[in-house]
Amino acid sequence: MSTQTPQSAQPAPRDLLYSEEEEALRSVVRGLLADHCDAAAVLARTESAEPHDRELWKALTDGMGLAGLLVPEELGGQGATHREAAVVLEELGRAVAPVPYLTSAVIATETLLACDGDAARELLGALASGRTVDVLTVPLTTAPGGALPDVRAEGEVLHGSVRGVADAVAADVFLVPTSAGLFAVDATEGGVGIGPQTALDLTRPLATVTFEGARARAVGPESGPAVRRGLRAGAGLLASEQLGLADWCLTETVRHTKERHQFNRPVGSFQALKHRLAQLWLEVVNLRAAARNAADTLAADSEDADVAAALAQAYASPATVHIAEEALQLHGGIGMTWEHPVHLYLKRAKADSIALGTVGRHREELAARVNLPAP
């Protein structure tokens, strides 16, 4: 008797290549960013008192509806999947765009999608339309399943503070996990304080958020599962942002080494540099595979989503830092200047490497899930 799985019972093959619709989305987003988010504009933004580009955010949300990609259509969103959101994040990473897409349109959205009730639906509707920016009030370094900050709920009044919250200065609504459940607090509510912190990555500012008797709305009776879902999606799709960043670094470095001449030859023609660039290309290719796998498993709500997200971050973070470091070095002296944007990419790569869990944390998670414990 044959023990082979019947053909009809075999799972459909997965396609990690970009679809025509995804490529069309990429083209539109890249065109918008080319018009509104060039390197000079990003550098100027980092030196201003307003770190977020609100006009760009309005164009992405009002004009294109990208804030609601992961929100179902019945709630006012686009009803798309994580694959489309990943394409958007690739392009935002390529431009190191100073907008709160990862924190609001991915992490906060996924957290709210794990909650039932009218409060969550109302928040999702406002978020999808671009009327509000929602931020999950946990440190940016928090990994999926990591310890949550100690904010106390006394009825519907919150007390406590949270350091290292990304994009808090742009938030309209804070989603606050507590032992009593998940709460939503308007940023303009009395008792809410936002203290900016010095961050390495000037395009994704950090702040300390303090609640001193701030009134809140209950969103869900349990915060743990919802927060874990939000952070898992954030970790998995962060790899797509890192992919866009790494691909820009490689593309610009290849272009520079073709144009820069020494000894009457392009420096890119030297064998040693060819080998370094080839290694970077391999790392980008592998990074793309890990990022696409994470986005695809999240889109399919696969049981392998936890493994895929941990795998993506375990590879993406060190690879992206290495690619950005090589880009800076291979640009020579110009890469060390403030005017050239490569330093923005290195800073984002460094900051992303500890965002949503360190490499070591994700490797431990991956080892435990595939039953390969450390010795």
Side-chain angles (χ1 to χ4, degrees):
M1 180 177 177
S2 174
T3 58
Q4 293 184 349
T5 304
Q7 186 69 27
S8 59
Q10 292 181 358
R14 295 168 56 198
D15 186 1
L16 300 184
L17 299 177
Y18 299 99
S19 67
E20 291 184 8
E21 293 78 8
E22 289 165 353
E23 290 292 2
L25 175 62
R26 180 194 306 283
S27 177
V28 173
V29 175
R30 185 175 295 187
L32 176 66
L33 292 173
D35 292 337
H36 298 279
C37 192
D38 59 13
V42 175
L43 281 167
R45 179 69 57 183
T46 63
E47 296 178 306
S48 71
E50 180 60 55
H52 290 94
D53 191 336
R54 296 187 180 274
E55 290 187 7
L56 175 60
W57 181 248
K58 184 177 177 63
L60 291 169
T61 56
D62 287 356
M64 302 179 65
L66 298 182
L69 277 183
L70 299 179
V71 180
E73 292 185 61
E74 59 267 24
L75 298 181
Q78 304 299 320
T81 72
H82 300 79
R83 289 176 59 115
E84 287 78 20
V87 170
V88 175
L89 280 166
E90 283 184 39
E91 295 308 311
L92 294 177
R94 181 186 293 274
V96 285
V99 292
Y101 193 85
L102 179 70
T103 48
S104 183
V106 176
I107 297 175
T109 297
E110 281 286 311
T111 302
L112 289 171
L113 287 171
C115 301
D116 294 323
D118 293 338
R121 295 171 65 88
E122 180 183 344
L123 289 167
L124 281 168
L127 189 155
S129 68
R131 298 195 306 272
T132 64
V133 171
D134 293 14
V135 170
L136 181 63
T137 314
V138 299
L140 180 61
T141 55
T142 305
L148 299 180
D150 184 20
V151 177
R152 306 185 317 278
E154 298 176 357
E156 292 190 344
V157 176
L158 302 185
H159 300 270
S161 65
V162 186
R163 289 180 55 82
V165 180
D167 296 327
V169 294
D172 299 300
V173 177
F174 291 110
L175 302 179
V176 189
T178 73
S179 59
L182 185 68
F183 291 85
V185 182
D186 292 337
T188 56
E189 187 71 36
V192 177
I194 304 171
Q197 296 177 227
T198 301
L200 175 64
D201 178 12
L202 300 177
T203 63
R204 180 171 285 150
L206 305 177
T208 297
V209 182
T210 304
F211 304 103
E212 297 179 351
R215 297 193 61 82
R217 294 169 285 165
V219 178
E222 293 186 18
S223 59
V227 171
R228 180 177 178 81
R229 172 173 169 173
L231 295 179
R232 183 188 69 173
L237 294 187
L238 176 61
S240 292
E241 176 185 290
Q242 292 166 309
L243 169 60
L245 187 157
D247 194 50
W248 181 93
C249 287
L250 174 61
T251 300
E252 287 301 306
T253 303
V254 170
R255 182 190 61 77
H256 176 75
T257 56
K258 286 181 177 180
E259 296 177 355
R260 174 80 170 124
H261 283 66
Q262 275 188 341
F263 308 110
N264 207 30
R265 291 174 54 189
V267 295
S269 66
F270 298 126
Q271 192 73 5
L273 296 193
K274 286 183 178 180
H275 286 187
R276 291 172 71 175
L277 291 169
Q279 177 60 37
L280 298 186
W281 181 82
L282 288 173
E283 292 181 13
V284 170
V285 169
N286 291 334
L287 174 52
R288 179 171 287 107
R292 291 297 292 170
N293 179 59
D296 187 67
T297 54
L298 286 167
D301 195 20
S302 168
E303 60 183 12
D304 293 329
D306 288 322
V307 171
L311 175 63
Q313 278 308 301
Y315 182 82
S317 290
T320 306
V321 169
H322 177 244
I323 293 166
E325 289 175 341
E326 286 285 87
L328 186 141
Q329 291 185 15
L330 293 176
H331 271 82
I334 190 175
M336 305 294 180
T337 65
W338 179 264
E339 289 74 16
H340 195 280
V342 69
H343 68 91
L344 294 175
Y345 291 82
L346 178 57
K347 291 171 182 175
R348 173 66 71 87
K350 289 279 192 179
D352 282 354
S353 69
I354 60 172
L356 302 169
T358 63
V359 176
R361 173 69 171 77
H362 286 292
R363 286 174 178 168
E364 290 175 359
E365 173 80 5
L366 182 62
R369 289 191 173 276
V370 298
N371 197 26
L372 287 174

